[in-house]
Amino acid sequence: MLKLSTKGQYGVRAMFEIARGYPENPVTIKEISERQDVSVAYLEQILNKLRRAGLIKSVKGPGGGYLLAAEPDKISIAVILKELEGPVAITSCLDPEEGCARVEGCVTHLLWRSLGAKIEAFLETITLNNLIEQEHLLKGDRRDKIYRFDVA
Amino acid sequence: MLKLSTKGQYGVRAMFEIARGYPENPVTIKEISERQDVSVAYLEQILNKLRRAGLIKSVKGPGGGYLLAAEPDKISIAVILKELEGPVAITSCLDPEEGCARVEGCVTHLLWRSLGAKIEAFLETITLNNLIEQEHLLKGDRRDKIYRFDVA
DNA sequence: ATAATACTTTACTAATTTTGTCAAGTATTG
DNA sequence: CAATACTTGACAAAATTAGTAAAGTATTAT
């Protein structure tokens, strides 16, 4: 339950690859495709959304590619997922687009709202920079710090 | 994003209705159907799963219906949802049934795992009894305690 | 100039999941 | 023994997901 679509998953992984090139090295779709094993055509869709949302910039021509539009510690996982999948909305009646007929006096409504808020709050605390840091820990020998996200 | 299916939503609402009858009053499918506006046939599917999981008991014959199999404060939302929708698995590679080829050195994997753990932990703290309490607060005048789930 | 590289956009579709309905029972008891 | 209630399994329409495909436009190294 509570699955994330591949669009969201791939989007985060793509942003992670682009973040590695920050601030000078444009990363091409092809590179992302190869490293993350996602088709170029599908990535185009995803990166397009992220570019229009202002999270990344693109550089055309040979040697071009994608660049982060802000510093890696300013871009949260929450922002990326919101652009690709819309707001956290455990139930459809919590989606701002839809609305709910039974809001008043509905106990489960409160429950789902609280859960959604908790999820958002968590995802807002994690940034691309945290992912990069975490990878360094994984590849390095600082095994003592390894499950950092559990602490946050 | 991160939607819950209607099966999970209706299941929690049905359990809430059954909890109101605890410990003596069997609640019929028809009553649940009317109060929660879900078809009888669909509820049958849902309640069947919950009964087989041992969360509720059924009493046949006139005056029969469904009863909670345990005390309302012993049944968490997490348990109900797990029976109806399987474990929390933000990505399919985190589903115990599937597995993941890239676990080692995969940073996002850690992220999704942490998120899933947080969600489960939260849902385990909320019981049917909490829902009933919360409803009393909503209907009563203790407006000061109203958003209880946010605190938990 | 122009070929190579790279991004952009829109349309389409196969597969999967969700959200149920339907039919034909079985079990219990007043 | 009829009324009430639960039980089971098959089936299917609708929505969503997860992509592919095609036909571009833009930039720049040489």
Side-chain angles (χ1 to χ4, degrees), chain A residues 65-123:
Chain A
Y66 288 95
L67 284 174
L68 243 45
E71 290 166 26
D73 66 342
K74 293 285 184 293
I75 301 178
S76 72
I77 307 301
V79 172
I80 299 170
L81 292 181
K82 261 181 213 166
E83 288 304 332
L84 294 174
E85 307 208 16
V88 175
I90 307 295
T91 57
S92 54
C93 72
L94 277 172
D95 193 316
E97 304 267 315
E98 313 213 15
C100 178
R102 36 191 298 146
V103 181
E104 293 301 321
C106 183
V107 191
T108 54
H109 193 93
L110 290 181
L111 172 59
W112 306 134
R113 201 153 69 83
S114 299
L115 175 59
K118 280 201 181 305
I119 292 172
E120 280 202 47
F122 175 72
L123 290 177

